[in-house]
Amino acid sequence: DDYAATVHDYLGNYEEAATLLRSCLHIAETTADGLDEAYGRRRLGKALMRLNQNEDAVVFLRQARDAYQAKDRLRSVAWIDRDLADALTRLDEDDEALRIYERAQALFDGLGEDSQVNYCRMQRAWLHDIYGRPEEAERLIRQVLATINANANKISFFSLVFHQAQRLFFSRICYRN
């Protein structure tokens, strides 16, 4: 079912993928170490996000995060935090999303995941910008741009994030003038 869910997800059949992932979760709940169940909860949470069922997604993502945290699986915790913050942003729970993006950013930084650090910074900058905190948004954007400039020959960076950073940065300059 897991592989079939992946195929359905890839093809955009999100309802079918979610149905299959629910059955995978029932099977995973019987394993001894709990990580199969955590994996199933994470996958189902992501599938529910694609169906815009963000409240349900948050529940499954929190459960998965707790299980991975208990097993000290920090890379999984970081990715789940990122997804959890994305879902919370969709639910307009922006203060909590900011806090979780910051937590994910710290984990990604410790793991050497520069592109994900910058993703979290950009999401935080976007939220600060929306809620009238342009100085904080600009500070974060400058960090993203500095990272890109410092690592231009070492990392591949998502052009979308770079263009987003440029757009927010220039909007801040135009806003002040």
Side-chain angles (χ1 to χ4, degrees):
D1 284 351
D2 186 58
Y3 180 74
T6 301
V7 170
H8 280 288
D9 188 56
Y10 179 76
L11 295 173
N13 302 328
Y14 303 128
E15 287 283 348
E16 184 63 26
T19 299
L20 290 167
L21 288 168
R22 285 183 196 281
S23 76
C24 289
L25 182 56
H26 290 299
I27 295 167
E29 288 171 342
T30 64
T31 64
D33 71 357
L35 290 180
D36 288 339
E37 182 178 351
Y39 173 77
R41 291 185 184 287
R42 178 182 179 195
R43 296 269 327 264
L44 184 54
K46 298 247 330 152
L48 292 170
M49 285 177 66
R50 283 187 281 285
L51 291 168
N52 205 28
Q53 296 175 16
N54 295 299
E55 289 177 6
D56 292 334
V58 165
V59 171
F60 285 103
L61 290 170
R62 285 185 197 279
Q63 292 168 344
R65 185 199 189 284
D66 291 346
Y68 279 115
Q69 181 72 42
K71 298 284 187 177
D72 205 29
R73 300 291 180 103
L74 298 182
R75 185 171 305 277
S76 294
V77 171
W79 282 98
I80 293 169
D81 273 351
R82 187 193 121 149
D83 295 336
L84 180 58
D86 287 347
L88 289 166
T89 299
R90 294 175 183 181
L91 293 169
D92 294 324
E93 294 183 29
D94 298 325
D95 289 335
E96 187 175 5
L98 277 169
R99 184 180 57 76
I100 294 173
Y101 278 128
E102 191 169 355
R103 185 172 69 195
Q105 178 184 323
L107 288 169
F108 282 128
D109 191 37
L111 296 166
E113 296 271 356
D114 291 341
S115 64
Q116 296 308 314
V117 168
N118 284 327
Y119 176 87
C120 293
R121 281 184 181 138
M122 284 307 305
Q123 293 303 101
R124 291 174 54 218
W126 177 68
L127 289 169
H128 283 296
D129 191 54
I130 286 173
Y131 290 101
R133 297 184 290 261
E135 296 83 12
E136 183 61 16
E138 184 176 331
R139 184 185 70 77
L140 290 163
I141 292 164
R142 287 183 184 278
Q143 289 176 353
V144 170
L145 294 173
T147 302
I148 292 168
N149 290 334
N151 296 307
N153 62 340
K154 297 178 194 169
I155 63 171
S156 168
F157 194 76
F158 301 112
S159 62
L160 174 66
V161 174
F162 179 72
H163 292 297
Q164 220 178 0
Q166 283 182 319
R167 189 185 81 237
L168 280 171
F169 181 70
F170 291 122
S171 74
R172 293 277 55 89
I173 291 171
C174 293
Y175 178 74
R176 277 196 250 134
N177 295 332

